[in-house]
Amino acid sequence: MESTIAAMSMNMAMANMQNAVSVGMMKKTMEAAEVSMENITEMLEAMPSPDGRGTLLNVLA
């Protein structure tokens, strides 16, 4: 009985650790995607129009 409780406790601790690692990795991935999207938005804002009169795309509208 005690060994079953100990095994269950260890399994729960391992599951909690795996969840924490998964959430941490997801957070890093989301932060990287956000930075990438900000860079793309900056590039789109800086893109000149073909006729030379302003920007080609208004990404804030």
Side-chain angles (χ1 to χ4, degrees):
M1 179 73 174
E2 290 86 18
S3 62
T4 305
I5 293 172
M8 186 171 42
S9 176
M10 289 184 66
N11 285 338
M12 288 176 61
M14 185 181 297
N16 286 339
M17 184 186 68
Q18 288 173 342
N19 283 339
V21 169
S22 295
V23 168
M25 290 184 68
M26 186 186 324
K27 182 179 175 184
K28 290 288 185 184
T29 302
M30 290 175 67
E31 288 172 355
E34 184 178 356
V35 168
S36 179
M37 289 297 116
E38 287 174 359
N39 289 337
I40 290 172
T41 302
E42 288 176 14
M43 285 191 296
L44 287 174
E45 289 174 348
M47 186 173 19
S49 67
D51 61 2
R53 289 187 276 162
T55 56
L56 180 64
L57 180 64
N58 184 359
V59 295
L60 301 177

